[in-house]
Amino acid sequence: MNDKKPENLKRRGFLLAAGVGSAGAVAVVASGIGKEAAKPLAVVSADDKAGSYRESQHISNYYRTARV
Amino acid sequence: MNAVLEPVASAPALTDEDRARAEHYAVLSRLFSSAPDAGFLHRLTALGAHWGNPESALGQAWLTLGELARNADPEAVEEEYTRLFLTIGRPEVMLYGSFYLAGFLMEKPLVELRHDLAELGLGRRLGVTESEDHIAALCDVMRHLIVTGPDATGLARQQFFFNRHIAPWFEAMCAALEGAPEAGFYPHAAQLVRAYFEIERLAFDML
């Protein structure tokens, strides 16, 4: 896979060193993200006419699951 | 191909760093989409404890913001949000890319952004009044691109979008936030924005 390419390893190493690594304490958030991956907060495909990004179900789900 | 495998392929597994990136974009979006309430301040405190680290710029920004959130009065933060961003007429700090790129709201950069969003199959939800170049909306797009496209093609898409629509102006917005008069919370939020986007920019340059 592309992840094995040297430049991506370098990038990953950089991100980890810069502190953008372990989801750790908030790892539980990721499962929420995964489930709703197809649905962004602010901008969604034109056929979704409900709500706004300020109070979408998605964002409330996100912060519900972000509880640590 | 094997149809049974398709759902797996359509929900790509995220690496730890992509999860952390998506979470950072979610936090940045929430910081600017509306005033933080007590629940969000509480979570910021927890995130500050997790991501705080005196040895990196990002970690320092997290330490500061986490500590600030722990002691913050939600009403005071809401008041600051309203004063800085929602003042009728001319808010103290603009959160829209067009303002920094073109000097006015709703300018040509917004037209280009709408074009790129259309290419990605994205658009504004009905009822959302902020234009698409609001920093929170752009963070939402980035988060969407990360969780739906962590592969090489998706990364290239993220890089294109970030370099075109966020990188050119986030520093100007951060400077405005840091210089906002009588503000105690958002100048520090700006340091998180600055530290995180700087990392993103450097990391994209490694692709």
Side-chain angles (χ1 to χ4, degrees), chain B residues 15 20 24 29 48 50 82 84 87 90 93 96 104 119 121 126 132 138 143 156 164 170-171 177 184 188:
Chain B
T15 59
H24 274 82
S29 170
H50 176 64
T82 305
L84 292 183
T87 308
R90 176 71 167 80
V93 178
Y96 299 90
F104 300 96
E119 297 262 296
L126 221 64
E132 294 90 329
L138 295 172
R143 180 167 169 276
R164 209 161 128 92
F170 77 82
E171 285 172 313
L177 285 165
H188 295 287

Side-chain angles (χ1 to χ4, degrees), chain B residues 85-116:
Chain B
F85 309 129
L86 297 181
T87 308
I88 305 288
R90 176 71 167 80
E92 288 185 19
V93 178
M94 289 287 184
L95 297 175
Y96 299 90
S98 274
F99 175 79
Y100 296 97
L101 294 172
F104 300 96
L105 298 179
M106 312 294 269
E107 266 292 337
K108 191 169 167 242
L110 180 59
V111 175
E112 292 168 355
L113 171 62
R114 283 180 175 152
H115 173 267
D116 289 347

